[in-house]
Amino acid sequence: MPIDQTVLDFMVGIRTPWLTDVVTVITNLGGTVASWVITSVIVLALLARRHRQEALLVGGAMFTGQLVMSLLKLAFGRERPPEPERLVVELTHSFPSGHAMMSSILVCVVAAVIVRIGGPRWNTPIVFVGLGLWTLAVGLSRVYLGAHWLTDVIAGWLFGAAWAGLWIWAIVKSSRNTANGAPSSLR
């Protein structure tokens, strides 16, 4: 797509050593290891506070999201940007961006947990803006580093939000069923 090449060319044009260092840190904060560390800490904290449904929401959405993202990459099989522009080594396909998709899932389910159980200290606009800026920065870092085309990142955000939305809907529906006396395996 022409927009992909235009944005990649722009990103390559603004590269500087210090900015590349900053963007590399950002991309690593949205990578697989960081995402799973964050997810594990959140799930364990929720379980310790007996918020089982919320723990299931975060852990389940992330675990299954990883599987869905891998299947989507195989199904689409899109090549990454060319080698000279790529500052990172990646072995999987490009579409959708895994960093963008997984950070989007994590942000959406964490936001849902905050809305469900967060007190006034957490349920503030600054927290939600911070979550959104994190996934935005992670996704754009992937374009800057030449790991993805812009459309890979946008698709990752959209697939991630949709996957998280399905999980949120399922947990809310399960909660309503439980509240109405229907048996729930999520308790």
Side-chain angles (χ1 to χ4, degrees), residues 57-185:
L57 170 60
V58 175
M62 288 294 288
F63 180 75
T64 59
Q66 184 80 37
L67 296 174
V68 168
M69 181 266 299
S70 297
L71 291 173
L72 288 169
K73 282 183 178 286
L74 289 173
F76 286 102
R78 185 178 192 192
E79 294 299 316
R80 292 184 182 270
E83 287 285 334
E85 282 82 7
R86 235 184 295 158
L87 299 180
V88 292
V89 175
E90 297 291 348
L91 303 175
T92 60
H93 294 292
S94 191
F95 186 91
S97 164
H99 281 65
M101 183 169 169
M102 298 309 293
S103 67
S104 178
I105 292 170
L106 187 56
V107 161
C108 290
V109 295
V110 166
V113 167
I114 290 169
V115 168
R116 283 173 60 96
I117 64 170
R121 185 175 75 168
W122 291 99
N123 206 343
T124 65
I126 192 92
V127 170
F128 298 109
V129 168
L131 289 170
L133 289 175
W134 177 68
T135 192
L136 181 69
V138 167
L140 293 178
S141 75
R142 304 305 287 163
V143 179
Y144 177 93
L145 294 171
H148 287 286
W149 302 104
L150 178 63
T151 52
D152 300 336
V153 170
I154 292 170
W157 287 327
L158 294 174
F159 281 130
W163 192 252
L166 285 172
W167 270 88
I168 293 164
W169 172 81
I171 294 296
V172 168
K173 183 174 169 114
S174 172
S175 295
R176 287 186 182 145
N177 287 343
T178 301
N180 293 334
S184 173
S185 62

